[in-house]
Amino acid sequence: MKYFSKALLALAFTGAFSFLSQAQEVVGSNQQDFDEFMDRSGNRYRSASGVPGPDYWQNEADYDIKATLDDKAHTLSGEITLSYINNSPDELPFIWLYLEQNRFTENSRGTLTTPIGGNRYNGDVDGGYEISNLKAKTGRSTSSKHIINDTRMQVWFDEPIKANGGKATVSMNFTYKIPVKGMDRMGRLDVEDGTIYAMAQWYPRTAVYDDIEGWNVEPYLGAGEFYLEYGDFDYEITAPWDHIVVGSGELVNERQVLSSKLRERLDKARKSDETVTIVGEDEITDASLRAKQEGTLTWHFKMENTHDVAFASSKAFIWDAAKINLPSGKHILAQSVYPKESAGNDAWGRSTEYSKHSIENYSNKWFEFPWPVATNVAAEIGGMEYPGLNFCGWRSKGASLWGVTDHEFGHNWFPMIVGSNERRYAWMDEGFNTFINYYSTQEFGEYPTSLNKTRNMTGWFTSETREGIDTYPDVTNLRNLGMTAYYKPGIGLLMLREYILGHERFDNAFKSYIKTWAYKHPQPKDFFNHMENVAGENLSWFFGSWFYGTGNIDLAIEGVQGNGNGSGFIINLANKGEVPMPVKLKITYQDGSTEDLTLPVEIWQRGDSWSHLVETDKAPKSIEIDPDKILPDVDYSNDSWPAQSFYQN
């Protein structure tokens, strides 16, 4: 019996090999398009469900800073004490700080990697830090050992900072010349009544030590932005007596720096939904409104649970403000400062109105704004965001001013509340922000939106020079940065909400992502995992192709035919692109009635063609893919039957 079984088995193998020798090719499937495209497995630090694991940690950096602005020499000088808490499981013999003002030197990496013709990220080359009196303390030991390399500084300790809660302090003095051109992120602007100082990256800042890379020390070159530790800030800015200073966080010494009249106006603004003038255009040079008439004033600010602060100072500011109403019932302040050259009801006179709406909208829709003040500053900067404070173009008006104000305040959610790594993953802040801006602008109602006009962008999607969303911003061709960092990821979220998941499932997942990762450091895999787990959908086919590829969407109707037995008709579909998608169809019948039909993305798992039977006794007149035109389908001529384009710009 055993012999007989073995003989049959041998015969079976012989037949199988004979069959295989005649076969020319094995028919495959598209399963690889639906498989995991990166390692998204969980660990003790980051769960596979996209939430921080039981051993998740991040370090803390608290700052005490006292700085003085010299408006004659255009310098900022100060002293900083950094209190550092090492919550990691590793001892740290050193920490890394960023000295981003060192970008403004002739031999900085940023200067030497700027094209001859220049670009948006041009910067002065006569600046840079002077660091002195550095002391690094752990326990009873003090070290002064440090190494400065371009925009980074390594500070060494005589004794390592202990793991799991060890503490250290680093103090130093610093001074530098404030650049005029600060890479479109900070700098100074001369107007008729004085100079506007827009101050960012203005103090030594702590780099992030995390469970992914250890120390994140990419140099500050230009397009790449920031990745910083959270903590509490206590900072003082000493400026000339006639300056108004605004900063991230709360001004805690109003009585020392504001006259009684200005305090009265500010109190009125805190109770008003309408904009209240604090310093009017005709009062800019009125010395009686200042708290003193000579010397300097020291403005004291505090901000909790933030990873950065910025400030602005000028004697040329108009100042106005209004109340922001938060969903919890709290009231905070929206305020704007700008020169008379920017004034007017068609320009910065509406800045506080725009700011108020923006903060209220995002707070109601996604997550409540956590800080006491939201400030908009007119400067020689196209648009740049910091926690609770923006720099926006001083010449902006109307729709342009609304757009930049709303965009920069949107950044308070990404990456100020949700602290992603901007230096690497610009799409996790710029793209997410572009997405929420779309709905904010829709809700405001006065200005047009364009993110949903996806088919206007097919020229870029088919360009041979296009790049992937995952390209690091400092590597991306600047001609592509607007698409790779802003529009393509923004469109990706738009498709998820409007086409793939629907509003309820998407909103549940996206709100949960923000709440879960507020004041923490999510990685791309954390976002992907969280959205999938809360929405209840395997989205690898979308995340892998859209965020980590350069392929396109091209769904097609290849024909319609009768069923053969008179009971309905068959729609022959094809996926001609690299990004699979569910297929939404609108069928119009000869009698004028219509029917909406959605086929799941899984129809493309086996191959690139699919036939669907519509069982009906009605004859079709026309059939259209994606009737709402959400998808940036690169060939919409094949989206309809009979073969014609239903798309109207």
Side-chain angles (χ1 to χ4, degrees):
M1 188 67 179
K2 291 181 179 178
Y3 172 79
F4 181 68
S5 297
K6 289 181 178 179
L8 284 177
L9 185 61
L11 183 62
F13 271 116
T14 302
F17 282 120
S18 175
F19 171 78
L20 289 174
S21 67
Q22 297 175 22
Q24 297 180 358
E25 185 177 343
V26 176
V27 177
S29 70
N30 289 333
Q31 184 56 45
Q32 72 278 359
D33 297 335
F34 291 78
D35 290 337
E36 298 292 347
F37 59 95
M38 63 190 303
D39 181 8
R40 290 197 276 150
S41 57
N43 54 45
R44 297 286 296 176
Y45 302 134
R46 297 169 189 269
S47 168
S49 65
V51 302
D55 293 335
Y56 175 83
W57 56 266
Q58 63 189 51
N59 293 344
E60 180 179 339
D62 301 321
Y63 297 83
D64 190 308
I65 313 171
K66 294 177 174 60
T68 299
L69 174 67
D70 185 334
D71 66 345
K72 301 295 189 292
H74 301 304
T75 60
L76 188 76
S77 302
E79 55 187 62
I80 179 173
T81 299
L82 164 68
S83 300
Y84 190 85
I85 302 176
N86 175 24
N87 294 315
S88 81
D90 309 316
E91 283 193 343
L92 298 179
F94 55 81
I95 65 171
W96 282 95
L97 304 178
Y98 278 114
L99 302 180
E100 281 125 339
Q101 290 298 318
N102 283 351
R103 166 62 175 78
F104 306 112
T105 61
E106 288 185 352
N107 295 317
S108 73
R109 294 189 187 191
T111 298
L112 296 176
T113 55
T114 299
I116 293 175
N119 57 34
R120 173 185 173 182
Y121 303 108
N122 285 351
D124 290 358
V125 295
D126 59 348
Y129 273 107
E130 294 179 19
I131 300 293
S132 61
N133 198 31
L134 185 142
K135 297 177 182 178
K137 298 181 180 181
T138 48
R140 297 182 179 180
S141 67
T142 301
S143 168
S144 61
K145 180 180 178 181
H146 64 281
I147 300 171
I148 295 176
N149 178 266
D150 194 53
T151 56
R152 292 81 51 88
M153 176 167 66
Q154 188 180 33
V155 176
W156 291 81
F157 301 96
D158 283 345
E159 298 176 6
I161 312 175
K162 293 180 180 179
N164 302 313
K167 298 180 180 180
T169 60
V170 176
S171 61
M172 71 191 81
N173 297 339
F174 65 88
T175 186
Y176 57 86
K177 182 180 179 182
I178 301 166
V180 175
K181 294 182 179 179
M183 295 173 60
D184 205 24
R185 303 201 191 284
M186 54 86 62
R188 61 184 204 258
L189 166 68
D190 290 331
V191 293
E192 182 177 333
D193 293 314
T195 300
I196 295 174
Y197 295 89
M199 301 300 297
Q201 293 82 251
W202 59 275
Y203 59 93
R205 308 195 296 176
T206 310
V208 172
Y209 184 77
D210 63 24
D211 60 291
I212 303 298
E213 294 291 330
W215 286 106
N216 289 261
V217 290
E218 283 89 356
Y220 181 39
L221 300 178
E225 294 187 2
F226 311 111
Y227 186 39
L228 303 164
E229 294 288 14
Y230 286 92
D232 297 335
F233 285 74
D234 186 318
Y235 67 104
E236 298 177 4
I237 306 299
T238 299
W241 66 271
D242 53 355
H243 277 221
I244 291 170
V245 180
V246 292
S248 298
E250 181 179 12
L251 177 65
V252 296
N253 67 334
E254 287 185 4
R255 298 190 67 84
Q256 285 71 49
V257 295
L258 299 180
S259 66
S260 60
K261 184 172 289 188
L262 292 189
R263 295 200 308 273
E264 288 174 5
R265 294 175 181 181
L266 201 53
D267 286 341
K268 181 181 177 181
R270 290 190 174 105
K271 301 179 181 70
S272 174
D273 286 313
E274 303 298 323
T275 300
V276 174
T277 299
I278 313 301
V279 176
E281 183 175 346
D282 58 348
E283 298 176 315
I284 293 173
T285 59
D286 185 351
S288 69
L289 284 179
R290 301 306 197 247
K292 58 188 294 190
Q293 284 71 46
E294 62 179 357
T296 61
L297 284 169
T298 297
W299 302 65
H300 186 185
F301 298 89
K302 290 185 178 181
M303 194 175 194
E304 296 180 351
N305 207 11
T306 179
H307 59 193
D308 198 9
V309 290
F311 74 92
S313 182
S314 182
K315 63 181 181 181
F317 280 148
I318 296 169
W319 182 11
D320 60 39
K323 176 182 63 170
I324 293 174
N325 304 297
L326 296 178
S328 66
K330 289 175 57 179
H331 303 296
I332 61 171
L333 189 71
Q335 62 180 4
S336 302
V337 290
Y338 49 94
K340 66 186 180 185
E341 290 88 345
S342 302
N345 288 332
D346 63 338
W348 276 79
R350 297 189 68 186
S351 167
T352 292
E353 173 196 350
Y354 295 161
S355 303
K356 169 183 167 66
H357 172 87
S358 184
I359 297 295
E360 289 179 349
N361 176 271
Y362 297 131
S363 294
N364 282 301
K365 192 168 185 64
W366 304 114
F367 186 90
E368 184 164 302
F369 186 79
W371 297 300
V373 182
T375 303
N376 208 20
V377 180
E380 182 73 301
I381 294 164
M384 190 61 203
E385 73 282 355
Y386 299 93
L389 185 144
N390 304 331
F391 300 134
C392 294
W394 65 290
R395 293 188 178 93
S396 295
K397 296 181 177 182
S400 174
L401 180 59
W402 157 259
V404 68
T405 299
D406 186 55
H407 180 79
E408 304 312 336
F409 274 126
H411 272 303
N412 279 274
W413 282 262
F414 309 101
M416 307 309 171
I417 294 173
V418 181
S420 58
N421 186 345
E422 297 179 274
R423 195 64 60 90
R424 291 188 172 197
Y425 311 117
W427 59 272
M428 292 184 74
D429 69 287
E430 298 293 1
F432 291 8
N433 189 25
T434 299
F435 167 73
I436 65 174
N437 297 160
Y438 167 73
Y439 294 100
S440 179
T441 301
Q442 271 194 332
E443 200 274 336
F444 189 65
E446 186 173 340
Y447 301 116
T449 59
S450 62
L451 187 67
N452 61 333
K453 304 293 191 299
T454 62
R455 299 192 180 188
N456 291 346
M457 307 177 198
T458 55
W460 184 86
F461 283 118
T462 57
S463 167
E464 293 182 355
T465 60
R466 68 187 185 276
E467 296 173 275
I469 290 172
D470 57 321
T471 310
Y472 287 1
D474 281 323
V475 179
T476 304
N477 185 320
L478 285 182
R479 295 178 181 177
N480 289 330
L481 190 62
M483 288 298 297
T484 60
Y486 296 73
Y487 281 98
K488 188 178 180 185
I491 290 170
L493 295 194
L494 184 78
M495 288 190 289
L496 274 177
R497 188 173 194 263
E498 302 292 341
Y499 191 91
I500 298 170
L501 294 176
H503 291 188
E504 185 176 16
R505 294 171 71 199
F506 177 89
D507 290 356
N508 286 341
F510 200 54
K511 288 178 184 178
S512 178
Y513 168 73
I514 297 171
K515 182 178 180 180
T516 298
W517 288 97
Y519 319 110
K520 296 181 177 68
H521 296 312
Q523 296 289 314
K525 72 172 186 177
D526 299 316
F527 171 70
F528 298 143
N529 285 343
H530 200 87
M531 293 298 291
E532 286 190 349
N533 276 268
V534 179
E537 195 74 35
N538 185 337
L539 296 167
S540 290
W541 56 270
F542 178 66
F543 290 139
S545 59
W546 191 257
F547 287 87
Y548 281 74
T550 56
N552 285 310
I553 299 168
D554 183 9
L555 301 177
I557 300 175
E558 297 214 302
V560 177
Q561 64 193 61
N563 187 25
N565 59 8
S567 61
F569 54 91
I570 296 172
I571 307 172
N572 297 313
L573 301 166
N575 178 23
K576 296 178 176 290
E578 298 80 20
V579 182
M581 274 284 158
V583 181
K584 292 191 175 184
L585 297 166
K586 181 177 182 179
I587 304 170
T588 301
Y589 292 102
Q590 295 288 351
D591 63 4
S593 62
T594 62
E595 178 184 356
D596 293 328
L597 175 67
T598 299
L599 301 178
V601 71
E602 286 82 5
I603 64 174
W604 308 123
Q605 278 187 298
R606 296 189 186 93
D608 295 327
S609 61
W610 185 259
S611 296
H612 179 75
L613 171 63
V614 179
E615 296 187 86
T616 181
D617 57 0
K618 295 189 288 187
K621 180 180 180 181
S622 63
I623 303 174
E624 186 179 2
I625 291 176
D626 184 23
D628 295 327
K629 301 298 177 285
I630 299 298
L631 303 180
D633 193 304
V634 295
D635 183 6
Y636 47 81
S637 67
N638 59 22
D639 287 0
S640 57
W641 173 88
Q644 57 180 318
S645 174
F646 282 80
Y647 175 62
Q648 295 181 351
N649 192 8

